[in-house]
């Protein structure tokens, strides 16, 4: 079972911004930028090339909505999207608020941030999703589905 499945099942805490039948989205524990969010299918699939096309398209649509929320919440000119994932064998899309290409370098990942700071950043994304009309997909509680 992947660490993301553990988060989805509630065995490991998460900071959730989105939940639907196909996927969830939560803040990463080592954000590159404030509000860095992962969009993860509920189905544990190792490679995005093996993901069902309909599910992959859905992940992209959700990532786009989260990106809009990040632009709104953090006043950045754009959100950037990356599909990486050698470190976790479970498909995940990185959605990162950015002002430049330098903002998406993994060597800039921040570890050991205080939980309150990470909660506050993800709450901004949650609030922006609600303001943009996607509130039905924002879990009632930040830390559980």
């Amino acid at each position: 079972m992947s660490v993301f499945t553990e988060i989805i099942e509630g065995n490991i805490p998460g900071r959730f911004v989105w939940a639907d039948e196909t996927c969830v989205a939560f803040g990463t524990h080592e954000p590159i930028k404030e509000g860095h969010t992962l969009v993860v299918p509920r189905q544990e699939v190792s490679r995005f090339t093996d993901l069902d096309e309909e599910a992959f398209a859905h992940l992209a649509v959700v990532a786009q909505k989260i990106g809009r929320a990040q632009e709104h919440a953090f006043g950045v000119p754009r959100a950037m999207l990356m599909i990486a994932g050698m470190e976790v064998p479970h498909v995940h899309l990185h959605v990162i608020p950015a002002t430049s290409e330098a903002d998406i370098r993994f060597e800039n990942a921040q570890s050991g941030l205080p939980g309150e700071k990470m909660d506050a950043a993800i709450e901004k994304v949650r609030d922006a999703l609600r303001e943009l009309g996607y509130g039905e997909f924002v879990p009632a509680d930040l830390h559980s589905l």
Side-chain angles (χ1 to χ4, degrees):
M1 183 178 305
S2 80
V3 66
F4 293 156
T5 298
E6 293 281 347
I7 292 169
I8 292 166
E9 292 184 358
N11 300 325
I12 296 174
R15 290 177 172 87
F16 293 94
V17 302
W18 186 279
D20 64 33
E21 293 175 357
T22 304
C23 70
V24 301
F26 48 83
T28 180
H29 71 283
E30 291 187 342
I32 295 173
K33 293 291 287 184
E34 181 182 32
H36 179 173
T37 301
L38 304 177
V39 180
V40 182
R42 289 181 182 269
Q43 178 188 14
E44 189 172 308
V45 176
S46 180
R47 299 181 307 213
F48 85 92
T49 53
D50 292 335
L51 194 61
D52 170 88
E53 289 179 3
E54 188 175 312
F56 183 65
H58 182 76
L59 294 180
V61 169
V62 170
Q64 187 179 50
K65 291 174 181 177
I66 290 169
R68 286 185 190 124
Q70 290 173 337
E71 291 167 357
H72 181 75
F74 300 106
V76 294
R78 66 185 56 206
M80 301 186 90
L81 178 65
M82 287 192 299
I83 302 172
M86 295 299 284
E87 73 283 1
V88 179
H90 191 146
V91 174
H92 54 290
L93 283 62
H94 293 260
V95 188
I96 304 166
T99 57
S100 73
E101 293 279 335
D103 289 341
I104 61 169
R105 294 190 183 131
F106 282 107
E107 63 264 19
N108 294 331
Q110 305 167 62
S111 61
L113 291 174
E116 301 80 28
K117 183 173 183 173
M118 292 173 37
D119 287 353
I122 294 305
E123 282 294 355
K124 286 182 181 180
V125 178
R126 290 165 50 88
D127 288 345
L129 283 166
R130 288 185 197 102
E131 288 174 23
L132 294 172
Y134 306 120
E136 69 184 281
F137 300 106
V138 176
D141 185 280
L142 169 67
H143 295 290
S144 65
L145 294 176

